[in-house]
């Protein structure tokens, strides 16, 4: 059955969700307050890089199933199902999440709902938010008692957004147990093609659904910081963390994925989500348990400093007068996102300490320039390495992992490479006359 859906927020999450819901055959209206962004989307252009999404976007606009608007009135009249997909960034100078965009959607939308509707929150929020917003909806909506709020957290990864939305590992739906309604039945209609694929569908109370999302990201962050802590021990003992990760990863209880040691996690999600989790636990009086996540955060940030130290050593103890070629600016490959990117953070620190730093990234150049205008940017890999005393691989794009030592040998001043993602073959690089340093490997 085709549903009439409005998706509020057209960033990574919202644009992907809107396009993919249309791909499932629904009639979808994407809603945002940013007219410029909507104008681009309506022409089938994405304001960010996400492999595969432009095709889904264009196909569904052409098929007439996907439109965009700034009008909440239009959305309220058009849709029976509303998804909130706006951002919940970290508050300036605090650990907690800033919920103002989510709250703004509810405050603007609910008073316009004059007939039965379900609002599904997708944004990542602290436990207790959905219950509070549900009460607000009941106060504001003219269709008294007929507008329900449920929570349906999103687990998509940047770079795999379409696949993760159309074929997720699981669908989680939090419903208000005190007010049984239609949310589950509506979600089953919306996600019918996915449920036919036997994708696990878990219905929970509201708080559990909110916590599932934050716990999943906290676990992933912990896994990365765990292997990075082991990398520190490997560095002290001469062991090799990559081989170690392969070996422990064969244990199905541990698993090899998310065990890549390196410069750590960044992006718009993991860092701010673990911090929001710590803040929430503190407010609820369960703060002690979250000493763990504070440590996860500091292990992660320590990797960035370690990388700067490694580079300083590599150029002879001082960055003054040194040239550093940085390959990678995005927080991970297949993304142009530079939010809290370890790569740019490291490049920025090195430059502030006196080096001339030149950066190249296949997709994130424009965003990187905006965030760090004082770094130098090169049009390609070889140009970024021209005259370099040290080359640093900080994002494991395929074009960097596939590079041959001979490709860069002619460009650099000294053949020194630091592999911040353990993505190069040390034997090959050393064999070609380079000095190679990885993370937690000899
Ligand atoms: C993350 C989660 O993986 C998604 O499930 C979640 O939906 C999303 O946050 C969100 O909350 O919206 P994403 O931020 O796209 O997705 O990126 P990840 O693929 O998780 O990578 C995060 C960071 O960890 C990157 O900087 C990556 O380089 C780093 N990482 C990842 C490692 O350092 N080592 C690894 O082994 C894996």
């Amino acid at each position: 059955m085709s549903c009439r859906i409005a998706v509020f927020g057209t960033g990574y999450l919202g644009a992907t969700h809107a396009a993919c819901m249309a791909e499932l055959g629904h009639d979808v209206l994407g809603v945002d307050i940013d007219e410029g962004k909507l104008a681009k989307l309506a022409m089938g252009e994405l304001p960010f890089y996400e492999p595969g999404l432009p095709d889904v976007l264009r196909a569904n606009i052409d098929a007439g199933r996907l439109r965009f608007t700034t009008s909440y009135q239009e959305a309220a009249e058009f849709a029976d199902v509303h998804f909130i997909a706006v951002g919940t960034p970290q508050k300036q100078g605090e650990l907690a999440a800033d919920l103002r965009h989510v709250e703004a959607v509810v405050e603007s939308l609910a008073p316009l709902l004059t007939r039965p509707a379900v609002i599904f929150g997708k944004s990542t929020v602290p436990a207790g938010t959905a219950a509070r917003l549900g009460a607000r909806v009941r106060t504001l909506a003219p269709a008294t008692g007929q507008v329900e709020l449920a929570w349906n957290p999103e687990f998509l990864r940047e770079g795999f957004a379409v696949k993760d939305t159309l074929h997720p590992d699981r669908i989680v739906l939090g419903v208000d147990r005190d007010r049984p309604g239609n949310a589950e039945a509506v979600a089953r209609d919306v996600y019918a093609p996915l449920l036919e694929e036997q994708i696990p569908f878990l219905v929970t109370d509201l708080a559990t659904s909110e916590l599932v999302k934050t716990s999943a990201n906290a676990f992933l962050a912990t896994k990365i910081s765990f292997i990075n802590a082991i990398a520190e021990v490997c560095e002290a003992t001469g062991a090799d963390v990559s081989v170690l990760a392969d070996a422990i990863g064969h244990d199905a209880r541990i698993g090899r994925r998310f065990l890549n040691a390196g410069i750590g996690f960044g992006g718009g999600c993991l860092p701010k989500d673990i911090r929001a989790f710590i803040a929430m636990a503190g407010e609820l009086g369960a703060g002690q348990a979250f000493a763990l996540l504070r440590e996860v955060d500091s292990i992660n940030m320590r990797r960035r400093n370690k990388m700067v130290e490694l580079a300083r050593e590599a150029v002879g103890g001082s960055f003054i007068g040194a040239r550093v070629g940085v390959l990678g600016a995005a927080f991970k490959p297949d993304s142009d996102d530079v939010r809290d990117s370890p790569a740019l953070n490291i490049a920025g620190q090195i430059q502030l300490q006196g080096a001339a730093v030149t950066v190249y990234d296949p997709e994130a150049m424009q965003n990187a320039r905006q965030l760090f205008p004082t770094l130098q940017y090169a049009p390609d890999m070889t140009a970024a390495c021209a005259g370099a005393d040290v080359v640093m691989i900080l994002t494991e794009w395929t074009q960097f992992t596939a590079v041959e030592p001979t490709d860069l040998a002619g460009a650099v001043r000294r053949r020194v490479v630091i592999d911040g993602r353990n993505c190069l073959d040390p034997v090959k690089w050393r064999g070609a006359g380079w000095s190679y340093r990885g993370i937690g490997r000899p």
Side-chain angles (χ1 to χ4, degrees), residues 60-141:
N60 285 285
I61 292 172
D62 292 348
R65 286 191 297 266
L66 177 58
R67 294 177 298 120
F68 296 92
T69 183
T70 52
S71 166
Y72 273 61
Q73 186 69 46
E74 185 184 351
E77 282 166 18
F78 167 79
D80 310 300
V81 182
H82 302 273
F83 283 99
I84 304 177
V86 291
T88 52
Q90 187 178 342
K91 274 188 190 163
Q92 289 278 333
E94 285 180 49
L95 294 182
D98 184 347
L99 300 180
R100 86 177 78 160
H101 303 301
V102 174
E103 283 157 0
V105 172
V106 168
E107 295 294 322
S108 309
L109 174 66
L112 305 173
L113 297 175
T114 52
R115 61 172 203 275
V118 180
I119 303 175
F120 293 104
K122 289 203 86 62
S123 311
T124 302
V125 294
T129 306
R132 182 166 55 78
L133 294 176
R136 199 65 197 134
V137 166
R138 289 191 294 280
T139 310
L140 293 172

Side-chain angles (χ1 to χ4, degrees), residues 124 154-159 164 170 213 217 220 224 227-228 256-270 273 331-333 342 396 421:
T124 302
E154 178 57 58
F155 304 99
L156 70 80
R157 297 160 296 168
E158 290 181 19
D164 285 353
R170 74 296 207 188
K213 167 68 194 192
N217 275 2
L220 294 172
I224 298 168
I227 200 66
N228 280 331
R256 180 62 180 84
R257 293 172 74 192
F258 269 68
L259 271 190
N260 293 325
I263 56 174
F265 57 83
C269 301
L270 297 194
D273 285 353
F331 83 108
K332 67 172 190 179
E396 69 278 33
R421 295 292 186 179

